[in-house]
Amino acid sequence: MACNSSTCQSNSGCYKREEEPISSKSSDSNQQSLCVKCKFNEPVSGTSDDGRFCRECFRSNLYGKFKLAVTSNAMITPSDNLLVAFSGGSSSRVVLQFVHEMQQRAQKNFDASKDRSLPVFGVGVTFIDESAYHSVPSSEIDKAIEDIKSIVSNLAPPAKQLHVVPIESVFSLDSLYGKERLKTLEDSVSDATGKEDLLLHLRMLALQKVASENGYNRLVLGLCTSRIACHVITATVKGQGYSLPADIQYVDARWEIPVVLPLRDCLAPELNILCHLDGLKTVEFSNGPCSGINGLVSSFVKLLQEENPSRECTIVRTAGKLTPFHFNRIPELNDSNVPLATRRRQKRFNLKPSESISSESFCPLCFSPLSKSDLLSLSSCQNYDILDAACCSSCRFQIFPKDPSSMEHFLSVLPQPLLARAKNCSNGNHSSLRKQIQDCLLSESEDET
Amino acid sequence: MEEAVTKPTKKGGGRLCCICNQRRAALKRPKTLEQICRECFYEVFEEEIHQVIVDNQLFKPGERIAIGASGGKDSTVLACVLAELNRRHNYGLDLFLLSVDEGITGYRDDSLETVKRNEVQYGLPLKIVSYKDLYGWTMDEIVKMIGLKNNCTFCGVFRRQALDRGASLLKVDKVATGHNADDIAETVLLNILRGDIARLSRCTSIVTGEDGPIPRCKPFKYTYEKEIMFTYAYFKRLDYFSTECIYSPNAYRGFAREFIKDLERIRPRAILDIIKSGEDFRISTSTKMPEQGTCERCGYISSQKWCKACVLLEGLNRGLPKMGIGRSSRGLNNDPKKDKDIKQSNGTKSIENKQCGSLDF
Amino acid sequence: MQLTLEFGGGLELLCESVKIHKVNVDPPNGTEKFIMKDLLSWVRTNLIKERPEMFMKEDSVRPGVLVLVNDCDWELSGQLDTTLEDKDVVVFISTLHGG
């Protein structure tokens, strides 16, 4: 390694230069010019790092990863009604495409079957319009929404309903007032990373709201390996080692509407290539790059990935070995309407309860499960504002106002559901929270003796 | 606070220490962002380390403790602080300095001079164990034979064992090492990046190797490198030894290290947050630890028939230096820091390695 | 004006292994003040003989390099905007080199 600095300006000795001639040589050789899977068609360039596939094989490989994730985690059953979160990027474009294809196949089987016993799952699409947060010009957002409408309507049949929802709808107020409140909330967070993360929490709130109000029972996100790898590192850096495993599993049922991540095993470049190969249209926004911790992490992971193409997979695999939570599985169905085969499959692949952590307290803001140390720190500040006390240390640091006197104002602009969660902590569950803290303290003192 | 803007003032001249409110502030503490003067800083610096020692029961009265001394800033400050705290708080410890001489001309002989000065300054007996005495080979001789590839493997394996051997010669109960918070945060990240779940679960422990021959502890686990550096720069005024190991040119930083420093700049508490994450990770118990036995040849702990050092040594002595180098060696070295030198296949090198030799105790 | 610059922690290797440099610098044309930002670009041009990326990143020092101005953390004096005066002592120490 003669040079590995991002600031390196020398052209000689860089490993990238050294590698170039090798790869061009290998593509010349006869052996390499066929798809590694079917050994028949010509591969498309740059399709994959673990082999060079032809277009068909590349596609079926990627769809295969999606399907395996769906079936082995019982993400979709025939009676489900899925809401696909569509941001316009290539990951969510691919997940929409794959869900659509799966639905088409189910429809075909349904039409062909005599008794028509298996219904076809429903699919809806939602786009959360965040222009109020990012101050995107309205002409740009209008054009994007038009594009999204045409993408979704071109997918039919079966027809999919599209819900375009502004992020400020989380305040359940009229749009103008909501925008104002959103701005006030954003301005009350001083930390750049905290601002970004707050938007993430609000986005999830908005998605949950759309799903819940429109009768969906699953929320499908297009998060891919690359994004999850970044999340692993950012969560580690923010001190969220305890709650991290909750966020990176195939299934996350801590929310009212369970969230599923069927592209967890797909890399961002693969998804980009598929969009390119299949002409799947994506919608870009000029949101600007991440700043703060999130931006630093994504450029760090990008650097690592360039240096070793399997790095992101390794990161996700490592984090995958951390013990997940009890809610990281689709709740078991005892409904007799569900076919036996489906139930059996669920039982076989789902997480065993003994391998997971059960957690009863969540941060009202980011909804992370609270660790023992978070609970313990609660006990030391019981006179402090209850929401502040009951949230995780990361939110306390990067989102909450530093000055206690501005706390009341901050709370007053929070969306209702977040406040409700906090109040739930403080009223209904307060005694149980207190009991948990007591238990922690007790076991702590036992450890010491 | 990432947004915090320091207003330019004239050399901070107008600012007073937030603790004593008398003297001019000289340092912004990364841990607390307090601005404090030199005198107050040194006091809180030492008392925090005392608190870590007490809270984690690192030492018991009457114990013999070796300080792994490389001549670098961390171990020099550690020796100074431990000697002082032992006196001030009556720990009742017998302290020793323990150094390893790898036999690298122009590199180790200089740093050993620093350690010898520490011996006199702090009145701590010094023991130097050399590769030559223990293994019959100096690093200079090893490099002459095997070249500059894999030399860090030899050095890493030999050093770990040398430190244990030295510790048992001194009959100490524990070895204290100078790993600081930045080092530990870096190790947490590296273990995630390379998928080493077993080490990930251990690397934030303040005491390690309790099942091995001699436990090790890290009194600087929560101490920022910046503060160690300040202590050094202010109070020692020594030429602390920091040349690059001549056998690992260009290896003295990896992406991870640079990343940690970038993070510290925008959010100083990130270093402690990474350590907190490392402590909070829950790893299912099914990860198997290799069974510990003893090496049939030298009696050192080993999960194989022969310990790694004996395998490498046998290779050297038989003129087959490639012996024992490869992937089969996992699980032998329990110290997470060590493994950085011991790997690895082509592309991964640059994030793994850091300067060998000086930081590795 | 005259400044004393000290390089430590391995940074001296970038300037021919000389640790202490007594240098004369002048404010850039058209300005009165000489600030740390000016000093850094001066050092980069005049003292650093190899691997400048070990010393600087963008227009500041690399993260991990400590800077003391008259024994005081430069984070307290405004970092790049710190105004330097005659006879000031500026110390650069790298923490990136192990230890």
Side-chain angles (χ1 to χ4, degrees):
Chain A
M1 274 333 276
C3 131
N4 51 25
S5 161
S6 54
T7 51
C8 163
Q9 279 144 17
S10 86
N11 286 336
S12 58
C14 265
Y15 64 101
K16 272 191 212 139
R17 304 251 158 188
E18 285 162 22
E19 273 175 9
E20 267 166 30
I22 303 171
S23 54
S24 61
K25 203 186 286 166
S26 58
S27 63
D28 288 343
S29 84
N30 234 350
Q31 200 66 38
Q32 293 289 318
S33 65
L34 292 178
C35 166
V36 291
K37 195 173 173 201
C38 64
K39 309 229 177 342
F40 184 74
N41 293 323
E42 269 184 39
V44 269
S45 61
T47 41
S48 172
D49 294 306
D50 40 296
R52 295 168 58 79
F53 290 122
C54 68
R55 186 177 152 166
E56 291 318 306
C57 291
F58 172 71
R59 200 177 191 295
S60 70
N61 176 54
L62 209 54
Y63 186 79
K65 288 201 246 184
F66 162 82
K67 203 177 159 201
L68 183 67
V70 168
T71 53
S72 57
N73 296 283
M75 285 181 193
I76 304 176
T77 53
S79 54
D80 283 341
N81 197 16
L82 314 182
L83 180 65
V84 177
F86 183 59
S87 70
S90 52
S91 299
S92 59
R93 182 65 190 86
V94 171
V95 88
L96 176 59
Q97 188 66 24
F98 282 175
V99 165
H100 167 66
E101 285 172 23
M102 193 170 256
Q103 189 195 29
Q104 271 186 319
R105 281 173 212 202
Q107 184 71 47
K108 238 180 242 165
N109 290 341
F110 177 79
D111 294 341
S113 71
K114 276 187 202 133
D115 56 351
R116 313 221 153 173
S117 61
L118 282 180
V120 178
F121 63 88
V123 178
V125 183
T126 184
F127 170 72
I128 305 295
D129 168 8
E130 289 164 11
S131 54
Y133 204 88
H134 293 298
S135 316
V136 178
S138 62
S139 58
E140 190 184 330
I141 197 77
D142 290 344
K143 164 119 187 17
I145 291 172
E146 281 315 305
D147 289 347
I148 290 166
K149 277 183 185 159
S150 85
I151 289 170
V152 174
S153 59
N154 285 337
L155 283 176
K160 289 162 192 65
Q161 203 185 345
L162 171 66
H163 313 264
V164 176
V165 175
I167 184 87
E168 61 270 23
S169 74
V170 294
F171 295 102
S172 342
L173 298 161
D174 70 85
S175 149
L176 197 65
Y177 191 55
K179 266 184 195 161
E180 237 168 68
R181 220 158 114 184
L182 182 72
K183 215 69 205 158
T184 322
L185 182 59
E186 191 187 350
D187 291 343
S188 67
V189 179
S190 56
D191 185 283
T193 315
K195 269 190 216 284
E196 283 175 12
D197 290 0
L198 178 64
L199 177 65
L200 281 181
H201 309 327
L202 295 179
R203 185 187 299 154
M204 181 53 97
L205 207 61
L207 289 170
Q208 288 289 325
K209 196 172 167 223
V210 181
S212 158
E213 285 173 358
N214 295 281
Y216 295 97
N217 73 332
R218 293 278 183 279
L219 180 60
V220 184
L221 302 187
L223 286 180
C224 61
T225 308
S226 315
R227 287 275 304 282
I228 295 173
C230 283
H231 181 77
V232 170
I233 305 294
T234 50
T236 305
V237 165
K238 292 169 192 166
Q240 299 162 332
Y242 176 81
S243 62
L244 162 65
D247 311 333
I248 57 165
Q249 311 298 329
Y250 294 97
V251 175
D252 178 359
R254 86 188 98 155
W255 312 92
E256 183 197 345
I257 311 297
V259 174
V260 295
L261 312 180
L263 297 188
R264 187 181 180 270
D265 301 322
C266 304
L267 291 162
E270 293 179 323
L271 301 171
N272 286 330
I273 291 168
L274 187 74
C275 286
H276 176 74
L277 288 177
D278 284 8
L280 299 177
K281 209 171 161 204
T282 55
V283 182
E284 304 296 333
F285 294 96
S286 48
N287 287 346
C290 298
S291 55
I293 302 283
N294 302 332
L296 195 58
V297 169
S298 65
S299 52
F300 175 57
V301 172
K302 194 164 159 248
L303 194 70
L304 296 170
Q305 179 71 10
E306 278 166 14
E307 175 244 12
N308 181 339
S310 60
R311 189 64 70 192
E312 290 171 346
C313 293
T314 312
I315 294 171
V316 175
R317 196 158 17 87
T318 317
K321 288 179 190 154
L322 301 174
T323 314
F325 289 82
H326 66 99
F327 51 73
N328 287 127
R329 57 209 284 264
I330 294 288
E332 219 147 295
L333 299 164
N334 290 317
D335 195 346
S336 56
N337 291 334
V338 178
L340 194 62
T342 314
R343 271 183 281 162
R344 230 184 253 139
R345 184 185 286 149
Q346 265 195 322
K347 285 210 173 103
R348 210 169 68 219
F349 287 104
N350 252 343
L351 209 64
K352 291 190 200 89
S354 61
E355 289 166 355
S356 63
I357 313 169
S358 64
S359 175
E360 286 119 44
S361 314
F362 295 89
C363 169
L365 215 54
C366 67
F367 222 34
S368 297
L370 294 174
S371 71
K372 198 168 152 179
S373 62
D374 284 321
L375 287 172
L376 282 173
S377 73
L378 284 185
S379 65
S380 60
C381 51
Q382 273 178 359
N383 292 329
Y384 209 51
D385 191 284
I386 186 63
L387 178 61
D388 180 46
C391 83
C392 71
S393 62
S394 173
C395 285
R396 208 176 309 158
F397 171 74
Q398 61 171 20
I399 298 185
F400 273 71
K402 299 281 171 298
D403 178 9
S405 63
S406 31
M407 183 58 91
E408 202 170 325
H409 174 70
F410 178 79
L411 294 179
S412 71
V413 286
L414 274 183
Q416 193 51 40
L418 295 187
L419 271 181
R421 269 189 222 157
K423 293 239 170 76
N424 196 24
C425 291
S426 61
N427 300 328
N429 291 340
H430 200 215
S431 54
S432 81
L433 191 67
R434 219 167 265 263
K435 189 174 174 301
Q436 279 186 57
I437 295 169
Q438 286 302 325
D439 289 348
C440 279
L441 288 169
L442 274 177
S443 63
E444 197 87 324
S445 58
E446 272 161 24
D447 290 346
E448 275 161 28
T449 49
Chain B
M1 280 282 290
E2 285 150 37
E3 305 284 84
V5 183
T6 335
K7 282 203 192 82
T9 59
K10 234 182 176 186
K11 316 254 173 63
R15 295 179 187 226
L16 291 179
C17 168
C18 71
I19 292 181
C20 67
N21 240 326
Q22 287 175 353
R23 289 173 291 254
R24 192 180 69 130
L27 159 74
K28 189 165 162 193
R29 296 200 69 197
K31 202 181 278 190
T32 60
L33 306 182
E34 291 168 318
Q35 311 192 351
I36 71 178
C37 70
R38 200 193 283 201
E39 289 79 2
C40 291
F41 163 64
Y42 203 41
E43 205 177 306
V44 295
F45 179 82
E46 288 186 337
E47 280 314 301
E48 275 181 14
I49 290 155
H50 170 62
Q51 211 50 52
V52 169
I53 290 171
V54 171
D55 290 349
N56 296 280
Q57 302 169 343
L58 296 187
F59 309 120
K60 292 190 192 79
E63 274 187 335
R64 293 165 67 89
I65 305 295
I67 299 161
S70 66
K73 65 175 190 318
D74 298 309
S75 60
T76 304
V77 173
L78 181 64
C80 169
V81 170
L82 282 187
E84 173 61 27
L85 292 177
N86 191 29
R87 222 177 356 254
R88 191 187 302 164
H89 296 287
N90 297 315
Y91 289 168
L93 302 176
D94 280 324
L95 296 174
F96 301 88
L97 295 171
L98 174 56
S99 285
V100 176
D101 182 2
E102 296 95 339
I104 304 176
T105 317
Y107 164 66
R108 192 46 96 199
D109 36 356
D110 286 352
S111 61
L112 287 175
E113 286 311 308
T114 311
V115 182
K116 284 175 189 161
R117 274 202 301 273
N118 297 158
E119 178 185 17
V120 181
Q121 265 177 316
Y122 312 125
L124 303 178
L126 165 68
K127 173 82 193 167
I128 300 175
V129 286
S130 73
Y131 283 11
K132 185 71 182 173
D133 292 344
L134 290 177
Y135 310 110
W137 292 77
T138 63
M139 269 318 282
D140 286 340
E141 289 162 352
I142 292 172
V143 169
K144 202 179 268 176
M145 173 149 177
I146 67 165
L148 285 174
K149 217 180 153 194
N150 296 324
N151 56 314
C152 292
T153 308
F154 283 85
C155 200
V157 172
F158 285 175
R159 187 180 312 108
R160 179 177 169 76
Q161 207 182 94
L163 208 58
D164 276 338
R165 298 262 188 103
S168 76
L169 285 174
L170 284 171
K171 298 195 172 56
V172 294
D173 301 292
K174 212 173 257 173
V175 176
T177 62
H179 293 109
N180 57 46
D182 298 49
D183 294 332
I184 294 167
E186 182 189 332
T187 310
V188 170
L189 283 179
L190 284 170
N191 283 330
I192 296 175
L193 298 183
R194 62 173 169 236
D196 196 333
I197 196 78
R199 283 199 177 80
L200 184 60
S201 67
R202 293 194 296 262
C203 68
T204 47
S205 309
I206 194 160
V207 180
T208 52
E210 279 169 300
D211 48 344
I214 293 156
R216 297 173 181 217
C217 67
K218 306 166 193 150
F220 284 166
K221 179 182 167 188
Y222 300 105
T223 309
Y224 278 73
E225 185 158 60
K226 177 180 171 184
E227 299 202 341
I228 294 176
M229 196 58 123
F230 264 97
T231 315
Y232 208 98
Y234 280 156
F235 296 95
K236 302 302 150 242
R237 289 285 175 202
L238 269 177
D239 312 328
Y240 103 72
F241 188 79
S242 65
T243 349
E244 219 177 315
C245 170
I246 53 171
Y247 291 138
S248 60
N250 260 333
Y252 58 122
R253 43 125 233 156
F255 292 145
R257 194 161 184 73
E258 182 160 6
F259 174 62
I260 300 262
K261 298 296 178 192
D262 285 342
L263 275 178
E264 184 184 10
R265 181 169 280 186
I266 60 170
R267 183 184 281 191
R269 74 176 246 156
I271 289 177
L272 290 182
D273 277 342
I274 294 173
I275 297 176
K276 177 178 185 290
S277 284
E279 291 169 342
D280 284 349
F281 283 148
R282 295 175 168 241
I283 292 157
S284 53
T285 44
S286 59
T287 319
K288 273 188 200 123
M289 291 276 291
E291 237 171 82
Q292 293 287 11
T294 50
C295 171
E296 288 182 8
R297 200 152 172 259
C298 70
Y300 188 75
I301 45 153
S302 171
S303 52
Q304 317 279 316
K305 199 170 144 201
W306 282 12
C307 73
K308 187 78 184 159
C310 283
V311 174
L312 291 175
L313 205 53
E314 179 71 6
L316 281 176
N317 291 334
R318 280 168 49 185
L320 301 165
K322 289 264 162 61
M323 210 162 138
I325 293 176
R327 295 180 165 272
S328 59
S329 65
R330 303 204 125 234
L332 251 139
N333 289 2
N334 289 331
D335 186 342
K337 303 251 18 156
K338 210 104 315 157
D339 203 42
K340 263 181 266 170
D341 309 335
I342 303 187
K343 303 233 262 171
Q344 177 143 131
S345 57
N346 308 336
T348 56
K349 235 183 250 161
S350 59
I351 63 153
E352 313 286 351
N353 50 24
K354 178 173 166 181
Q355 181 182 20
C356 316
S358 59
L359 218 142
D360 244 356
F361 288 136
Chain C
M1 65 180 172
Q2 199 192 45
L3 298 174
T4 305
L5 309 181
E6 277 184 52
F7 294 85
L11 287 176
E12 68 278 9
L13 298 175
L14 309 181
C15 24
E16 300 178 315
S17 295
V18 179
K19 284 190 182 233
I20 299 179
H21 299 253
K22 295 221 183 263
V23 302
N24 276 298
V25 293
D26 291 305
N29 289 340
T31 52
E32 301 272 298
K33 287 194 301 186
F34 189 81
I35 59 173
M36 277 300 297
K37 194 172 179 166
D38 305 320
L39 180 66
L40 290 183
S41 63
W42 187 90
V43 166
R44 187 184 175 137
T45 318
N46 296 286
L47 289 184
I48 303 288
K49 301 291 186 225
E50 52 178 307
R51 290 178 291 171
E53 73 279 2
M54 299 307 298
F55 178 62
M56 305 246 320
K57 182 165 178 175
E58 285 147 28
D59 64 346
S60 189
V61 293
R62 257 183 77 159
V65 173
L66 287 184
V67 185
L68 303 179
V69 181
N70 298 335
D71 275 352
C72 179
D73 188 356
W74 81 326
E75 286 187 41
L76 295 180
S77 56
Q79 297 178 327
L80 286 174
D81 296 320
T82 309
T83 308
L84 294 171
E85 283 157 21
D86 192 35
K87 303 281 189 299
D88 276 353
V89 180
V90 184
V91 181
F92 300 97
I93 313 173
S94 171
T95 57
L96 291 162
H97 300 212

